[in-house]
Amino acid sequence: MLRLLFWIALIAAAVWFWRKLKSTSSPSQAPREQDAPPMVRCAHCGVHLPRDRALALEQQWYCSQAHLEQGPGTRER
């Protein structure tokens, strides 16, 4: 019985140590939230898109030229 508890404890410690090592190396591989471009919402349809791909008119953002020409949509959503 003592051997079984010893092996369970050893395996649990190894799994914990492996996860700890894995989590410390992950932030360098995963993109950080600070690197993400700011998002804006289309005034016509409400879709969110990166600000550098959006079209601006009078402090409102649009996802396409067609929505820019149609103007703001209804706020029923």
Side-chain angles (χ1 to χ4, degrees):
M1 182 68 166
L2 190 59
R3 281 186 180 177
L4 179 63
L5 291 176
F6 171 76
W7 285 109
I8 290 173
L10 186 65
I11 292 171
V15 168
W16 174 80
F17 185 70
W18 180 71
R19 284 186 180 176
K20 186 168 179 103
L21 283 177
K22 186 178 176 185
S23 69
T24 58
S25 65
S26 293
S28 63
Q29 296 172 353
R32 296 183 314 193
E33 188 174 322
Q34 297 169 351
D35 296 339
M39 303 292 280
V40 293
R41 184 176 180 161
C42 177
H44 183 78
C45 66
V47 72
H48 289 85
L49 67 155
R51 185 169 48 186
D52 60 349
R53 295 186 62 195
L55 303 170
L57 178 68
E58 299 175 0
Q59 298 180 347
Q60 291 184 338
W61 299 94
Y62 296 92
C63 63
S64 66
Q65 185 66 34
H67 284 183
L68 180 99
E69 292 169 359
Q70 293 174 3
T74 59
R75 294 284 180 184
E76 295 176 8
R77 296 180 187 124

